[in-house]
């Protein structure tokens, strides 16, 4: 029997060759897609999942692997978990991210990172206080095609951008219990869907100089349709839209002074197309734009690999999804909601 006065040997520190060990908090639908992509990343392994009920966690790990925990507290206390993926509704992101950070875990938090900018700032402060890595789960920022587009637009490869349009929308069932129509869960088109076109424009053009939204609200005060006109550096004019009442093309288009770029499924594209124009007609063969690295799965794989790279390098934020970028987008969403008059229970004044 070991001497109780003798300290237990320290667990070996992970090396750059060790797979990053992940735990999933709130294993719902988005977490299942995440786990399938995680299985495609050699540098990552799923070791645990935690839910509010043990049965839910057991069902998840039966399909995706790892051990099951019947509470979030048990998940973040698991010594094998290095990084916690927070997949709960965004109304609970701050609470759950803080729980993981205070337990000494790194955190990848599903988008939007929080309900508002004040909560996002609290989360960043908690990560810094805990000296742990934190990143918003914005897979678009890690997408190889989007990264190539951003670099090419900055270099003038496809001319000077003058206009950008991005739209995203789908029909949410008319169920009052659905999270996207529930104010208590941060429902609405803007936070859940509009964060994508707003972030896409930021990634390609930089920080917006001004945004002018219009929208339609439900009888519960939740935004169901939002259109945003924006002005960006260099005089680029932008229109962005999000809807939970109608189907959109999920396409983005960038018009330049030499041609047009079309991005299908812009939130996680596999390619984009640039067509040069002259005298209102195509002036040459379209160029297919791809990234310099492959898209892993649906795109969560690239996000997972970026977190792993940063964690193993000892970074506390990602250069692809830095804290200030996340906070800037959240402040823009706050401003849009304030103009529309969307306010969630218990939330401070956004103005």
């Amino acid at each position: 029997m070991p001497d109780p006065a003798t300290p237990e040997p320290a667990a070996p520190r992970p090396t750059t060759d060790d797979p990053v060990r992940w735990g999933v908090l709130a294993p719902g639908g988005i977490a299942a897609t995440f786990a399938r992509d995680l299985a495609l990343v050699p540098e990552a392994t799923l070791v645990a999942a935690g839910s509010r009920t043990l049965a839910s966690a057991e069902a998840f790990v039966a399909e995706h692997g790892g051990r099951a925990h019947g509470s979030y507290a048990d998940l973040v206390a698991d010594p094998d978990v290095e990084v916690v993926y927070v997949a709960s509704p965004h109304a609970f992101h701050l609470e759950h991210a803080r729980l993981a950070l205070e337990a000494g875990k790194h955190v990848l938090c599903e988008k939007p990172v929080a309900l508002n900018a004040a909560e996002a700032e609290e989360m960043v402060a908690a990560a810094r206080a805990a000296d742990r890595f934190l990143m918003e789960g914005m897979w678009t920022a890690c997408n190889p095609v989007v990264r190539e587009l951003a670099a090419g637009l900055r270099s003038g490869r496809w001319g000077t951008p003058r206009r950008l349009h991005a739209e995203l929308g789908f029909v949410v069932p008319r169920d009052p219990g659905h999270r996207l129509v529930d104010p208590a869960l941060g429902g609405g088109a803007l936070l859940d869907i509009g964060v994508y076109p707003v972030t896409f424009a930021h990634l390609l053009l930089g920080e917006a100089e001004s945004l002018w939204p219009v929208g339609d609200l439900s009888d519960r005060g939740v935004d169901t349709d939002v259109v945003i006109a924006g002005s960006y550096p260099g005089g680029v004019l932008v229109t962005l839209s999000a809807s939970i009442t109608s189907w959109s093309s999920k396409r983005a288009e960038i018009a330049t002074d030499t041609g047009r770029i079309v991005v299908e499924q812009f939130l996680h594209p596999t390619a984009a197309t640039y067509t040069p124009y002259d005298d209102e007609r195509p002036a040459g063969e379209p160029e297919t734009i791809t990234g310099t690295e492959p898209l892993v799965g649906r795109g969560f794989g690239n996000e997972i690999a970026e977190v792993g790279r940063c964690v193993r390098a000892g970074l506390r934020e990602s250069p692809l999804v830095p804290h200030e970028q996340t906070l800037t987008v959240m402040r823009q969403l706050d401003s849009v909601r304030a103009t529309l008059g969307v306010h969630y229970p218990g939330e401070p004044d956004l103005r």
Side-chain angles (χ1 to χ4, degrees), residues 133-317:
F133 177 85
L134 170 68
M135 186 176 105
E136 179 182 32
M138 179 49 70
W139 63 355
T140 305
C142 301
N143 182 280
V145 176
V146 174
R147 292 169 61 189
E148 185 72 11
L149 282 171
L153 287 172
R154 286 193 296 269
S155 71
R157 174 174 162 187
W158 304 294
T160 301
R162 299 300 304 153
R163 289 181 290 109
L164 180 148
H165 173 73
E167 62 178 62
L168 186 57
F170 52 85
V171 177
V172 170
R174 294 180 179 273
D175 176 0
H178 196 290
R179 69 175 183 85
L180 286 182
V181 299
D182 188 348
L185 295 179
L190 182 67
L191 290 194
D192 201 83
I193 304 170
V195 64
Y196 282 116
V198 172
T199 299
F200 183 79
H202 181 95
L203 292 170
L204 268 56
L205 303 174
E207 184 173 350
E209 295 176 345
S210 56
L211 297 173
W212 302 278
V214 293
D216 189 37
L217 308 187
S218 73
D219 56 6
R220 300 171 73 186
V222 165
D223 55 288
T224 57
D225 294 88
V226 180
V227 176
I228 304 169
S231 174
Y232 283 72
V236 186
L237 299 181
V238 167
T239 52
L240 312 169
S241 68
S243 173
I244 56 174
T245 68
S246 59
W247 298 101
S248 80
S249 67
K250 301 181 182 179
R251 179 186 300 125
E253 299 182 0
I254 302 104
T256 79
D257 58 358
T258 62
R260 294 182 62 80
I261 300 169
V262 175
V263 192
E264 304 290 350
Q265 297 285 340
F266 73 89
L267 60 163
H268 56 105
T270 57
T273 303
Y274 168 71
T275 303
Y277 275 76
D278 183 27
D279 194 25
E280 299 185 0
R281 295 181 178 83
E285 289 297 318
E287 173 192 351
T288 300
I289 303 164
T290 58
T292 57
E293 60 188 61
L295 182 69
V296 181
R298 290 195 66 199
F300 281 118
N302 301 84
E303 177 182 280
I304 292 163
E306 172 64 6
V307 173
R309 183 191 71 80
C310 292
V311 166
R312 286 293 176 261
L315 302 180
R316 294 302 182 246
E317 59 183 299

Side-chain angles (χ1 to χ4, degrees), residues 24 26-29 31-35 46 48-50 55-65:
V24 170
T33 305
F34 178 90
L46 179 63
S56 177
E58 286 176 338
F60 186 85
V61 301
E63 181 177 356
H64 302 289

